[in-house]
Amino acid sequence: MTYNFREIETKWQKYWEQNQTFKADQDSDKPKFYVLDMFPYPSGAGLHVGHPLGYIASDIYARYKRHKGYNVLHPQGYDSFGLPAEQYAIQTGQHPATTTAKNIDTYRRQLDQMGFSFDWSREVRTSSADYYKWTQWIFIQLFESWYDKSADKAMPITALVSLFSKNGNRDINAVCDADTPGFSSTQWAKFSEKEQQKILLKYRLAYLAEAEVNWCPKLGTVLANDEIVNGLSERGGYPVVRKKMTQWSMRISAYADRLLQGLENIDWTDSLKESQRNWIGKSVGALIRFDIVDHKSKIEVFTTRPDTIFGVSFMTLAPEHPLVKTITTETQKKAVEAYVLATTKRSERDRMSDVKTISGVFTGAHAVHPFTKAPIPIWIGDYVLAAYGTGAVMAVPCGDQRDHDFAKHFNISIPNIFKDVDISEAAFTEKSKTVISNSDFLDGLNFKAATKAAIDALVSLGQGERKINYRLRDAVFSRQRYWGEPFPVYYVDGLPKMIDIKHLPITLPEVEKYLPTEDGDPPLGRAEVWAWDTTKRAVVPNSKIDQTIVFPLELNTMPGWAGSSWYFNRYMDPQNTKEFASQKALNYWREVDLYIGGSEHATGHLLYARFWQKFLFDRGFLPVDEFAKKLINQGMILGTSAFAARIEGSNTFISEDLIDKQSVQYIHVDVSFVNASNEMDIAAFKAWRKDYGCAEFKTSNDGSFKVKREVEKMSKSKYNVVNPDAICETYGADALRLYEMFLGPLEQYKPWNTAGITGVFNFLKKLWKLYLNDSGLRITDNPPSKQALRILHKTIKKVTEDIESFSFNTAVSNFMIAVNELNAQKCNSRAVLEPFLVLIAPYAPHITEELWSQLGHKTSISSAEFPIFDPQYLIENSKNYPISFNGKMRFTLEMSLDFTREEIEKTVIENEKTIAQLEGRTPKKVIVVQGKIVNIVY
RNA sequence: GCGCACGUGGCGGAAUUGGUAGACGCGCUAGCUUGAGGGGCUAGUGGGAAUUAUUCCCGUGGAAGUUCGAGUCUUCUCGUGCGCACCA
């Protein structure tokens, strides 16, 4: 019998499906374990070999946990709203739902052929109305909530309203807009309904506000900060400009500190936590208010160095700062206006890339130093960002390099307030070595003491207070797109109203074209049926809008991260029509125990999801406030691109080994035309790229044409994509699974090289032969040899350690070693080979299922529990030959396998005795390598 | 600039967490076998030197340190990747 992987794999995939082997049962007395992958966006290109890496790892872990006796939830679904499907729809006119459904079919087929143990009965799709009904529901909850800083949690907005009517808002410690006015309970009662609603919007966690947003003209939509990379859109790489727009926002800033604190309690990688900490950007300092000479307003600045207050020699405002207009003196007006105009013209990207040029202008106005009362010139400079802090800084040129540069450039004085430090060339920024001088009551103090003293003094003057500032901004939640969740919102007299939960979902209307309309409105502006009838409580045609009964609906849709911010909770109870998930299901499954996905989501999905989780927890909808206990970032699998060299300015290609001094251009070549020796098939290349059909080729002496290789991200546009379908076809899913794991550590970035797969393929063939030969099963019920048992037990120990530490690569190596050793031992004992199969089952499920059934088992290996992973099993079964010995001394593994426990103990005791007698003292540690004492430590 | 991660053969990568560096696989070399579409088996494979039951020296980006002992710990330095970036 030969190893016919194709037959075996289809057979068992069908078996698992028919028997619902992987259906997770909520009513179980087993302990639960929730293993989750980041669900994919179903793109038109299908999967390449890099995509399933994380799914294979999580699948192995899920299968392992089932063998260990856990009730495992291992679901999968699709993040199916998003830009690419919409871009495709704009180009082709096809409905995004159609292309999305088609792509999902492809994904499903590709996933199925790899033998994943997903519980597909729990599949979710963010674009299905059954699902986004609950996304809309969560949005309404956010709208109906505010953040109470005293309780440090979100509260229902009704509670806020009753507080307002009791005491107004003066005693309320809430996270709200900066321009919220103060009012008393009587004032509140006198406000009109509209005025009250406007004020409440300043408190809601989902709120509508005019804000500076990142507008991408090319994509015709706004983008969140995490969707912009180096001033360009993440998708497409188009320029992004700042624009004032009225948009829905999420008050994630309210959760800044808890998002930071929460990182302490979850097992995520340091680099990922660091990314999130960076993104949240907490800095501790003070808010200081400076009076302005001959002016009523004050300038507020945020600083982390209030200790340097006596070093202030000027102030700098961001060009966009509102005070710029009012404080500028007549004589400086022209210069200031010209400067402000020049900076607004520069794009965000220009401003970011050009950080070395110092520019600024004097306003003519002066601020007043809070202690010395000396006048301080107020400048404008574009090194100050409007979006951070208060958009204004107190400049201390001796203590901040940027201020130092600015002062030098404009010849502003640089007073020195540091003891025994030379600041003529550069600012002195080392907080820990700071000793203040020339600073009145702060003289002689260090950073910490001076900071405290300065803030205390400012507080007593009423000119400042302690303040924590965050870089994290509220997240813009509106997108001018079609293919996203519609808002459950209609507008009465310009104010948003939520549609009652009873009437959800509000489903996407049909539109003719998916482009934004000519006047820049979102595509939903084209929908003919898109108005809310408040009596019928239904979506009706726009033509019926009368502003008394029928009102316009929100035209924007929600961003891509809306649906992905809570899907892990939906898997717990995916068919529920009454709630997003039942309390029973939520309390049983609680949180994700192991989450696997890419690190590119560090400041997007993973931050937003934590935010929503904490919010839903606050409002009592969830039992835990962190959704994923442990998270692993799988590294990317890179492609090995091939490049043909073309002599510049000609149509002649030259073999890589012939390039001497010619200047050449490199052109991507499809990797399928290139063999392992980097030789390209010229005919295939010509047929592929018709435009190079008549090109000349300078080949090597042996007639071959060599190409250059380089490792890059795997992508269609780089022609270096390896399709898993082809691998499954030639080597099978088990070989693909093993090889992806064998390639290297899960977290690491590593290049794909198909050639190496023969190694694991041979392993599978050897494994097969270990159980079956030409005449059939070669397993006997004879008792196993001691050596064979040792091999088994050693492998159990190693592989269990490997999987618990997610070292899947070394686990595969250990299987290979074991198969070779069992082969050498000519082992055919059932007592060894049955448990051995169990070890491999999570990694190569199809071949192990087949061999398991060949061994005469009637039930699936995948659904069975085994005691071999229990630490007690090894202790019981390897009594005669300790797998490891953790006594006073440590021995190499080889030694522990070569000697029995009695022998080892004897040696140790004898050696100790001898040494003690010889030296007259007792050794602390005796180092034994290969049975020989190499050193003694006292 | 700040932060995080990493640096081991021709390649992907191991190393019991401070104890024989290079496991396992690819590739390569030699021999056997002829399966004949991608083979199978055996042996060898870090570098160098003398010599073949082998032996010796060097070797984990570089320099120093701790230690009986360092790929592993500490400091400095060089290089690569990622994140943030005029963040006050």
Side-chain angles (χ1 to χ4, degrees):
Chain A
M1 284 177 80
T2 53
Y3 170 44
N4 185 341
F5 55 85
R6 256 169 255 169
E7 201 176 283
I8 293 168
E9 289 177 0
T10 19
K11 172 180 165 187
W12 288 102
Q13 283 162 15
K14 204 179 276 171
Y15 175 92
W16 295 326
E17 202 192 330
Q18 281 167 358
N19 289 276
Q20 302 201 339
T21 309
F22 306 116
K23 201 167 160 46
D25 182 9
Q26 192 192 304
D27 298 307
S28 164
D29 42 13
K30 294 181 189 174
K32 69 98 190 181
F33 201 88
Y34 186 177
V35 185
L36 183 67
D37 295 295
M38 289 186 188
F39 62 167
Y41 173 81
S43 87
L47 296 172
H48 63 61
V49 289
H51 292 121
L53 181 74
Y55 305 155
I56 296 170
S58 66
D59 193 60
I60 290 169
Y61 204 76
R63 285 172 177 272
Y64 163 72
K65 280 285 179 181
R66 287 193 195 98
H67 291 324
K68 275 197 88 165
Y70 284 85
N71 184 27
V72 173
L73 174 57
H74 186 42
Q76 187 58 287
Y78 305 96
D79 190 11
S80 45
F81 268 138
L83 269 175
E86 175 155 334
Q87 298 286 59
Y88 189 74
I90 290 170
Q91 283 158 27
T92 62
Q94 276 199 66
H95 198 286
T98 319
T99 49
T100 302
K102 216 175 90 195
N103 293 346
I104 286 177
D105 286 346
T106 310
Y107 266 62
R108 180 64 192 275
R109 183 188 57 73
Q110 288 190 301
L111 291 171
D112 280 350
Q113 79 183 350
M114 283 181 262
F116 292 130
S117 64
F118 293 128
D119 177 358
W120 283 108
S121 71
R122 291 174 184 261
E123 182 197 291
V124 304
R125 300 179 184 194
T126 54
S127 64
S128 95
D130 297 339
Y131 180 85
Y132 70 66
K133 169 180 178 175
W134 298 106
T135 312
Q136 292 173 338
W137 179 87
I138 294 170
F139 174 81
I140 294 172
Q141 302 310 313
L142 282 154
F143 180 81
E144 299 294 358
S145 302
W146 62 291
Y147 201 89
D148 184 348
K149 274 201 248 182
S150 307
D152 205 16
K153 62 186 276 202
M155 300 288 218
I157 204 89
T158 46
L160 186 65
V161 174
S162 61
L163 286 172
F164 283 170
S165 39
K166 259 184 234 147
N167 300 313
N169 72 346
R170 291 189 214 278
D171 299 330
I172 287 171
N173 189 12
V175 180
C176 61
D177 287 0
D179 61 351
T180 310
F183 52 81
S184 66
S185 55
T186 39
Q187 280 172 305
W188 173 255
K190 279 183 199 151
F191 288 146
S192 68
E193 162 75 14
K194 193 173 171 178
E195 282 167 325
Q196 288 187 343
Q197 284 305 320
K198 273 191 172 164
I199 286 167
L200 286 174
L201 261 183
K202 294 177 188 294
Y203 287 85
R204 295 179 190 275
L205 289 181
Y207 63 99
L208 197 60
E210 183 169 77
E212 284 251 316
V213 295
N214 307 299
W215 172 256
C216 178
K218 198 84 188 193
L219 290 172
T221 190
V222 302
L223 297 171
N225 287 342
D226 66 281
E227 292 168 316
I228 299 161
V229 180
N230 295 327
L232 299 174
S233 69
E234 190 186 26
R235 272 199 195 280
Y238 303 119
V240 175
V241 296
R242 305 287 297 175
K243 195 177 170 181
K244 279 223 167 196
M245 285 176 83
T246 300
Q247 300 281 299
W248 283 102
S249 287
M250 286 286 161
R251 218 177 285 281
I252 188 173
S253 59
Y255 282 86
D257 205 50
R258 279 173 64 197
L259 288 170
L260 207 55
Q261 292 305 315
L263 292 173
E264 305 299 324
N265 309 319
I266 48 180
D267 185 6
W268 292 16
T269 61
D270 285 341
S271 69
L272 198 136
K273 286 184 181 181
E274 206 50 40
S275 283
Q276 293 212 344
R277 285 191 195 109
N278 248 328
W279 191 261
I280 295 167
K282 179 177 183 170
S283 43
V284 181
L287 193 74
I288 305 178
R289 280 179 292 275
F290 287 80
D291 292 322
I292 305 171
V293 177
D294 298 329
H295 207 282
K296 267 180 272 170
S297 338
K298 294 178 177 206
I299 293 180
E300 280 197 336
V301 301
F302 173 73
T303 178
T304 53
R305 298 297 303 274
D307 57 317
T308 63
I309 182 82
F310 287 93
V312 177
S313 66
F314 60 101
M315 315 275 297
T316 317
L317 305 182
E320 299 89 342
H321 198 283
L323 279 176
V324 169
K325 275 185 199 141
T326 54
I327 62 167
T328 304
T329 58
E330 210 48 48
T331 44
Q332 289 299 96
K333 202 167 183 181
K334 265 204 170 143
V336 168
E337 277 172 3
Y339 183 72
V340 171
L341 190 69
T343 48
T344 46
K345 269 190 184 161
R346 295 175 76 190
S347 72
E348 192 81 349
R349 191 172 156 75
D350 285 349
R351 212 166 137 177
M352 275 168 66
S353 57
D354 178 28
V355 297
K356 290 205 178 73
T357 323
I358 295 164
S359 72
V361 63
F362 180 45
T363 61
H366 288 84
V368 183
H369 193 282
F371 300 120
T372 66
K373 304 296 175 197
I376 309 165
I378 304 170
W379 286 68
I380 300 169
D382 70 356
Y383 79 96
V384 177
L385 302 175
Y388 184 79
T390 60
V393 300
M394 61 173 220
V396 183
C398 64
D400 184 287
Q401 193 53 47
R402 291 154 304 168
D403 296 342
H404 195 275
D405 295 341
F406 195 86
K408 270 213 153 163
H409 189 264
F410 290 106
N411 229 345
I412 306 168
S413 68
I414 306 178
N416 190 355
I417 53 147
F418 298 116
K419 204 176 175 203
D420 304 330
V421 175
D422 176 31
I423 48 93
S424 58
E425 281 312 309
F428 178 74
T429 54
E430 284 172 78
K431 281 184 197 173
S432 59
K433 292 183 189 160
T434 296
V435 179
I436 304 288
S437 71
N438 294 330
S439 298
D440 195 358
F441 63 94
L442 299 179
D443 280 359
L445 298 178
N446 63 16
F447 165 71
K448 226 178 147 184
T451 301
K452 188 181 182 302
I455 293 174
D456 288 347
L458 286 163
V459 169
S460 61
L461 285 175
Q463 284 195 269
E465 64 236 13
R466 201 162 266 101
K467 162 104 180 164
I468 295 168
N469 198 54
Y470 296 94
R471 201 188 77 97
L472 183 71
R473 302 259 72 87
D474 282 348
V476 181
F477 199 67
S478 303
R479 294 292 182 277
Q480 293 69 42
R481 312 299 311 181
Y482 175 74
W483 195 230
E485 298 88 349
F487 283 84
V489 172
Y490 63 97
Y491 288 91
V492 178
D493 197 13
L495 278 173
K497 293 241 186 269
M498 294 297 122
I499 290 169
D500 198 287
I501 288 161
K502 286 191 290 248
H503 311 304
L504 300 182
I506 304 300
T507 54
L508 265 177
E510 292 302 319
V511 294
E512 248 175 67
K513 283 183 187 167
Y514 305 102
L515 272 170
T517 58
E518 287 77 14
D519 39 10
D521 278 340
L524 292 192
R526 292 179 190 280
E528 281 171 22
V529 184
W530 196 241
W532 183 250
D533 188 316
T534 48
T535 50
K536 283 193 208 152
R537 297 186 179 93
V539 179
V540 296
N542 294 355
S543 51
K544 296 197 179 162
I545 290 175
D546 57 13
Q547 299 285 3
T548 54
I549 295 166
V550 180
F551 298 94
L553 277 156
E554 170 71 55
L555 298 180
N556 288 298
T557 54
M558 298 186 199
W561 56 266
S564 59
S565 293
W566 71 281
Y567 74 108
F568 33 85
N569 288 318
R570 183 65 176 171
Y571 282 135
M572 298 177 189
D573 192 8
Q575 268 99 42
N576 198 324
T577 53
K578 303 250 161 26
E579 301 159 278
F580 69 87
S582 72
Q583 285 300 311
K584 194 182 162 207
L586 289 164
N587 280 312
Y588 179 73
W589 296 110
R590 297 179 72 82
E591 77 273 81
V592 177
D593 294 284
L594 175 65
Y595 195 24
I596 297 187
S599 57
E600 65 273 21
H601 299 107
T603 52
H605 160 61
L606 289 173
L607 200 59
Y608 296 129
R610 292 183 57 222
F611 160 44
W612 279 27
Q613 182 80 11
K614 287 189 186 298
F615 164 72
L616 291 170
F617 170 79
D618 283 356
R619 294 297 315 274
F621 298 114
L622 292 176
V624 280
D625 77 337
E626 286 289 348
F627 77 95
K629 254 191 209 166
K630 179 170 179 68
L631 181 134
I632 295 179
N633 289 127
Q634 92 269 22
M636 208 178 280
I637 291 188
L638 304 166
T640 316
S641 303
F643 299 86
R646 188 177 59 168
I647 298 171
E648 215 168 323
S650 77
N651 202 17
T652 304
F653 285 85
I654 178 165
S655 183
E656 181 66 14
D657 53 333
L658 296 178
I659 297 173
D660 188 16
K661 285 197 179 101
Q662 303 94 323
S663 53
V664 293
Q665 282 175 312
Y666 283 104
I667 288 156
H668 269 106
V669 174
D670 195 311
V671 286
S672 61
F673 306 151
V674 181
N675 69 11
S677 326
N678 297 342
E679 293 162 358
M680 183 179 80
D681 180 341
I682 295 174
F685 177 70
K686 280 187 173 177
W688 174 58
R689 290 288 295 263
K690 294 276 159 49
D691 42 332
Y692 296 128
C694 53
E696 300 279 320
F697 288 85
K698 278 197 184 173
T699 55
S700 298
N701 296 335
D702 59 353
S704 68
F705 184 89
K706 296 249 189 329
V707 295
K708 188 172 89 165
R709 289 284 198 163
E710 218 166 78
V711 171
E712 300 182 283
K713 202 170 162 179
M714 206 175 264
S715 132
K716 219 179 165 183
S717 61
K718 295 189 171 86
Y719 304 107
N720 59 1
V721 169
V722 180
N723 191 322
D725 299 15
I727 305 286
C728 285
E729 185 61 27
T730 23
Y731 299 99
D734 285 338
L736 176 67
R737 291 167 63 106
L738 285 170
Y739 188 52
E740 294 226 0
M741 291 300 102
F742 182 72
L743 226 42
L746 185 58
E747 301 90 334
Q748 207 162 297
Y749 280 55
K750 49 209 173 266
W752 178 267
N753 172 20
T754 307
I757 201 170
T758 53
V760 292
F761 190 54
N762 283 339
F763 158 75
L764 288 170
K765 287 195 281 193
K766 280 184 206 164
L767 180 73
W768 184 260
K769 281 190 204 156
L770 195 55
Y771 292 79
L772 299 159
N773 58 20
D774 295 338
S775 44
L777 202 65
R778 56 175 288 277
I779 304 295
T780 67
D781 286 323
N782 299 342
S785 70
K786 211 168 177 181
Q787 284 85 350
L789 273 176
R790 281 180 186 173
I791 295 164
L792 172 70
H793 293 145
K794 180 184 76 179
T795 310
I796 293 174
K797 182 170 193 315
K798 283 186 168 182
V799 167
T800 312
E801 282 166 7
D802 289 338
I803 198 166
E804 291 292 356
S805 59
F806 303 97
S807 306
F808 300 102
N809 54 329
T810 49
V812 177
S813 293
N814 285 323
F815 292 140
M816 292 181 178
I817 295 167
V819 161
N820 288 339
E821 286 176 352
L822 289 171
N823 251 321
Q825 294 286 328
K826 302 206 171 12
C827 173
N828 61 0
S829 165
R830 180 180 285 268
V832 167
L833 292 175
E834 263 197 15
F836 185 58
L837 214 49
V838 175
L839 282 182
I840 302 174
Y843 301 77
H846 309 89
I847 189 174
T848 46
E849 281 281 16
E850 179 62 24
L851 293 173
W852 188 249
S853 101
Q854 294 279 345
L855 283 167
H857 294 279
K858 294 277 173 276
T859 51
S860 155
I861 194 171
S862 301
S863 51
E865 274 179 53
F866 297 96
I868 58 168
F869 300 111
D870 188 341
Q872 205 56 36
Y873 176 90
L874 280 185
I875 294 169
E876 297 288 318
N877 287 277
S878 59
K879 272 182 185 153
N880 294 321
Y881 46 95
I883 295 300
S884 67
F885 184 87
N886 292 319
K888 283 182 190 167
M889 297 181 216
R890 295 165 60 193
F891 297 84
T892 61
L893 187 68
E894 286 88 333
M895 184 184 175
S896 67
L897 290 173
D898 290 343
F899 296 89
T900 66
R901 172 164 292 189
E902 290 70 32
E903 283 169 334
I904 290 169
E905 280 170 352
K906 210 177 128 199
T907 321
V908 171
I909 291 159
E910 275 178 6
N911 282 332
E912 269 190 1
K913 270 186 195 158
T914 325
I915 293 156
Q917 279 166 6
L918 283 172
E919 309 271 339
R921 47 188 174 161
T922 324
K924 243 196 278 176
K925 196 168 148 191
V926 179
I927 293 117
V928 182
V929 175
Q930 272 204 331
K932 281 181 280 185
I933 294 175
V934 294
N935 220 321
I936 305 149
V937 181
Y938 297 97

